[in-house]
Amino acid sequence: MSSSSIRAATPATQAAPGLVLGAIGVVFGDIGTSPLYTLRECLKAAGGISQTNVFGIVSLILWSIIIVVTLKYVSFVMRADNEGEGGILALTALASGVAPQRLRHLLLTLGVFGAAMFYGDSMITPAISVISAVEGVTLVDPNLTAWIVPISLVILTGLFKIQKRGTGAVGKVFGPVMVVWFLTLAALGILHIVTHVSIVRAVSPLYALTFVSHAPGTAFVVLGSVFLALTGGEALYADMGHFGKRPIRAAWLFLVLPSLILNYFGQAALVLERPAAVAQPFFQSAPGWALIPLVLLATAATIIASQAVISGAFSMTKQAVQLGFLPRIPVVHTSTHEIGQVYVPFINITLYAAVVFLVVFFKSSDNLAAAYGIAVASTMLLTTLLMYFITHNLWHWKPLASIAVVGPLALVDAVFVSSNIGKVLDGGWFPLLAGGLLFTVMTTWYKGRETLVEKMKSDNLPLPGLIRSLCDSSHAPPRVNGTAVFPGGVAGMAPTAFLHNLKHNGVMHQTNIFLAGTTDNVPHVPNDRKVVVEDLGHGCYSLVVRHGFMEIPNVPAILELAKTQMPNWRYEPADTSFFLARDTILATGASKAMPLWREKLFAFLGRNAAQAAEYYSLPANRVVELGGQINI
């Protein structure tokens, strides 16, 4: 078994209490705070309280959670791990790697669209979660209504402010707090179920079917609000790489799922008993003495839910950069022990600006609920569609077997997507707009890089032939001491920085190392398979470096690995210079692959990408940058 396989299998095969506790604290924050507003929004969409409505809605919530979260994600999708990693981009990499060649571009497009929608969800989750918790203060004192938005903004500002410190220290208290939260959900639910035991009958799916058949038009609208109970379900799969399958499954089946169901049923029993409680059924389910502690606990839980989504956006950004869907973005590692703990300043400030806009513009969880759902519902549908290619091409199921399993799940997802379409005009336009803009950026960067590589292959010279012609001729350039390293090239082609150095300085170093990197469709590539060295002669070496989509290139570390394959060379940092091409991309409209506006967007993204020296972890005092222009 390879080292990568061992790494992936370890968390997945151990359901240690520490991993279960960590999963409770990170994975379930979003779905765990949905009871704050879900039943309220469902009853509002249904147009009022009646026994048929309440029984039907709580039955719909129950069976939606069982079908979408338990059966689809916990039992089915989580089997499709990419060497232990999950999430829409990891699944896309896995599916595109086994799908027929003609379909790979389509699958990449679907996956990128799903990732873009995830960012839209990342913007709304902190806003709706925190503001819905803070709204509980109005039950303490109605005069505090005007303070809901300012208090929410203060909490969210503090949350985004501490991101640069990393989540390691704060994460230690996430698990215990969320355990208390879920036990509180269960206790509040039981408190009211025992006073209206008949609500337990809603466990039968007949009540959901009766509600749908009685008023299908109303039920279709209500499904858009029922979906609020499922937001965060994607996180079970996305965070699989951090905790493994078994801890997440154990936490879901033995604590989270029972607590959520008990609380939803308890809220349903409460509104049947006291219809006036429909305005805030969650907070009104608490005894008077427990209201303030519950508001504080809910606020803590929503902060944790927001933190999980923000951290997920950071991790997805790192994956997108490595897979070539986003330009280089500075990524800060906040832990010396956990490689997955990262902070992305640009994403942090962008999410913060979007969240502030959402809180100020929508002002209440009622209004935000109207915008919530369409983005994550789209991601869930795309995940299901990608699973067809996993089952058929990777697991080798027969087509009918794949359709028999994936088809019904896709139908359920499609129903939820269509039921959320009505939210577009009420605020759903925001995550769609944000996701659409990001989708445009990601696909433009991916296509632009393809175009640029083809341009370099057509314009630059083959590297082996160039080295022979330079070194074997009577006009060979003079050699200077030391090692020159040229990162970021195209395999087999002479790097632009090397050509610039020859043109302007007219010399070659005694040792020249040309690095060309590729990103595999796996999260990590083991060290023994990471570097392939080709000796070009005359002190020149071509290195093809393979990275996983969870890894960030580190050129000095790569050179340490490669020296075992170059016995005549020793890596001496003080004698090594790193030559980088700082080319300016000019949009000319000549490309047939992209229209002029996309060329200009690609050029703009290229100009604003992070410095290559920082991205490759190069020592700043050993870097030489040589510039030029590339017309596309």
Side-chain angles (χ1 to χ4, degrees):
M1 179 180 285
S2 70
S3 59
S4 64
S5 299
I6 294 172
R7 179 191 180 281
T10 300
T13 55
Q14 297 177 354
L19 288 174
V20 175
L21 186 63
I24 293 169
V26 174
V27 177
F28 301 103
D30 190 357
I31 197 169
T33 52
S34 295
L36 285 166
Y37 45 80
T38 297
L39 187 67
R40 180 192 70 199
E41 295 303 317
C42 290
L43 291 170
K44 179 181 173 183
I49 298 175
S50 68
Q51 183 159 312
T52 300
N53 285 354
V54 174
F55 272 68
I57 287 171
V58 77
S59 184
L60 274 174
I61 291 174
L62 167 64
W63 286 101
S64 296
I65 291 175
I66 289 175
I67 293 171
V68 175
V69 182
T70 306
L71 294 181
K72 175 185 165 182
Y73 278 103
V74 174
S75 302
F76 180 53
V77 175
M78 285 179 64
R79 292 180 59 199
D81 64 293
N82 193 332
E83 292 196 5
E85 297 292 338
I88 186 71
L89 281 181
L91 183 64
T92 299
L94 190 63
S96 62
V98 297
Q101 184 67 39
R102 67 183 185 280
L103 295 176
R104 290 182 182 177
H105 184 268
L106 173 62
L107 295 184
L108 287 173
T109 302
L110 291 176
V112 170
F113 185 77
M117 291 299 105
F118 175 86
Y119 282 102
D121 178 44
S122 301
M123 296 172 183
I124 296 185
T125 295
I128 191 173
S129 298
V130 171
I131 205 169
S132 62
V134 174
E135 283 172 345
V137 302
T138 60
L139 297 179
V140 179
D141 184 352
N143 295 323
L144 293 175
T145 301
W147 288 92
I148 291 174
V149 169
I151 293 173
S152 299
L153 289 176
V154 169
I155 292 172
L156 289 164
T157 299
L159 175 63
F160 281 94
K161 185 76 172 176
I162 66 171
Q163 293 304 310
K164 61 185 176 183
R165 299 182 182 274
T167 60
V170 182
K172 293 179 181 178
V173 301
F174 280 8
V177 170
M178 291 306 294
V179 168
V180 173
W181 170 254
F182 285 116
L183 292 177
T184 302
L185 291 182
L188 291 175
I190 293 171
L191 181 66
H192 295 283
I193 290 173
V194 296
T195 63
H196 204 296
V197 180
S198 63
I199 193 65
V200 176
R201 299 202 310 266
V203 168
S204 170
L206 292 176
Y207 285 93
L209 296 174
T210 300
F211 175 72
V212 172
S213 61
H214 178 71
T218 301
F220 184 75
V221 175
V222 169
L223 280 172
S225 297
V226 169
F227 187 77
L228 295 173
L230 308 177
T231 56
E234 184 79 8
L236 277 71
Y237 179 53
D239 289 322
M240 187 170 59
H242 296 287
F243 303 102
K245 301 174 188 177
R246 291 184 63 184
I248 291 174
R249 285 170 173 163
W252 171 254
L253 294 173
F254 296 109
L255 177 65
V256 179
L257 175 61
S259 299
L260 290 174
I261 298 307
L262 286 171
N263 193 263
Y264 283 124
F265 274 65
Q267 289 187 48
L270 172 66
V271 297
L272 285 174
E273 228 180 291
R274 285 192 286 133
V278 72
Q280 283 285 6
F282 176 79
F283 287 109
Q284 296 217 19
S285 66
W289 60 266
L291 182 56
I292 293 177
L294 183 60
V295 171
L296 295 176
L297 179 60
T299 302
T302 56
I303 290 172
I304 292 172
S306 303
Q307 176 64 64
V309 173
I310 295 167
S311 300
F314 292 162
S315 297
M316 182 169 288
T317 299
K318 185 173 78 167
Q319 291 183 28
V321 170
Q322 283 304 101
L323 289 169
F325 294 117
L326 285 176
R328 293 187 304 268
I329 297 175
V331 175
V332 179
H333 286 273
T334 59
S335 172
T336 56
H337 306 291
E338 298 294 335
I339 193 170
Q341 291 185 15
V342 295
Y343 165 64
V344 186
F346 175 77
I347 297 299
N348 192 59
I349 190 65
T350 302
L351 287 179
Y352 174 66
V355 168
V356 169
F357 169 80
L358 287 166
V359 171
V360 172
F361 184 81
F362 288 97
K363 294 184 172 60
S364 73
S365 60
D366 272 344
N367 296 332
L368 278 166
Y372 202 25
I374 183 67
V376 69
S378 302
T379 302
M380 287 184 173
L381 175 58
L382 293 173
T383 297
T384 305
L385 295 177
L386 289 170
M387 283 301 298
Y388 171 82
F389 296 94
I390 299 297
T391 58
H392 179 55
N393 297 102
L394 183 62
W395 298 345
H396 306 295
W397 291 9
K398 294 185 181 298
L400 285 179
S402 296
I403 293 172
V405 173
V406 173
L409 294 175
L411 181 61
V412 171
D413 289 336
V415 169
F416 278 120
V417 170
S418 57
S419 66
N420 276 281
I421 288 176
K423 296 182 177 182
V424 172
L425 296 180
D426 293 327
W429 55 268
F430 182 84
L432 290 179
L433 176 62
L437 290 174
L438 189 59
F439 177 73
T440 301
V441 167
M442 295 173 80
T443 53
T444 297
W445 182 256
Y446 188 82
K447 188 64 179 177
R449 286 181 72 251
E450 283 188 335
T451 304
L452 191 61
V453 168
E454 291 301 319
K455 174 76 173 175
M456 293 173 66
K457 285 182 177 180
S458 63
D459 292 352
N460 291 4
L461 298 170
L463 183 59
L466 177 63
I467 297 299
R468 286 194 301 270
S469 64
L470 283 173
C471 298
D472 292 339
S473 71
S474 57
H475 302 289
R479 309 292 285 261
V480 296
N481 292 330
T483 299
V485 179
F486 301 88
V490 177
M493 306 305 297
T496 306
F498 178 64
L499 298 176
H500 286 327
N501 189 41
L502 284 174
K503 176 180 178 182
H504 297 292
N505 298 324
V507 298
M508 285 179 62
H509 283 69
Q510 288 295 339
T511 303
N512 297 272
I513 299 176
F514 306 93
L515 273 70
T518 62
T519 300
D520 286 4
N521 288 339
V522 295
H524 301 273
V525 175
N527 288 343
D528 58 357
R529 294 193 286 119
K530 192 177 289 290
V531 184
V532 175
V533 177
E534 180 185 358
D535 189 346
L536 302 176
H538 309 284
C540 297
Y541 300 90
S542 173
L543 274 61
V544 176
V545 185
R546 298 169 57 207
H547 290 100
F549 57 76
M550 293 293 291
E551 300 176 295
I552 296 177
N554 185 315
V555 170
I558 290 168
L559 294 176
E560 288 287 353
L561 284 177
K563 67 182 183 182
T564 59
Q565 300 182 50
M566 295 185 289
N568 297 324
W569 174 76
R570 292 184 61 192
Y571 176 41
E572 297 289 347
D575 294 329
T576 303
S577 298
F578 301 90
F579 289 81
L580 299 174
R582 195 180 178 92
D583 293 318
T584 301
I585 301 170
L586 298 179
T588 63
S591 171
K592 296 180 180 179
M594 296 189 297
L596 180 59
W597 69 268
R598 293 192 78 178
E599 288 184 6
K600 290 183 176 180
L601 175 59
F602 176 68
F604 171 80
L605 294 172
R607 288 193 299 272
N608 289 278
Q611 297 295 323
E614 179 182 0
Y615 179 70
Y616 291 127
S617 302
L618 302 179
N621 61 343
R622 304 300 303 172
V623 174
V624 179
E625 292 187 335
L626 300 169
Q629 291 185 348
I630 299 178
N631 297 323
I632 60 171

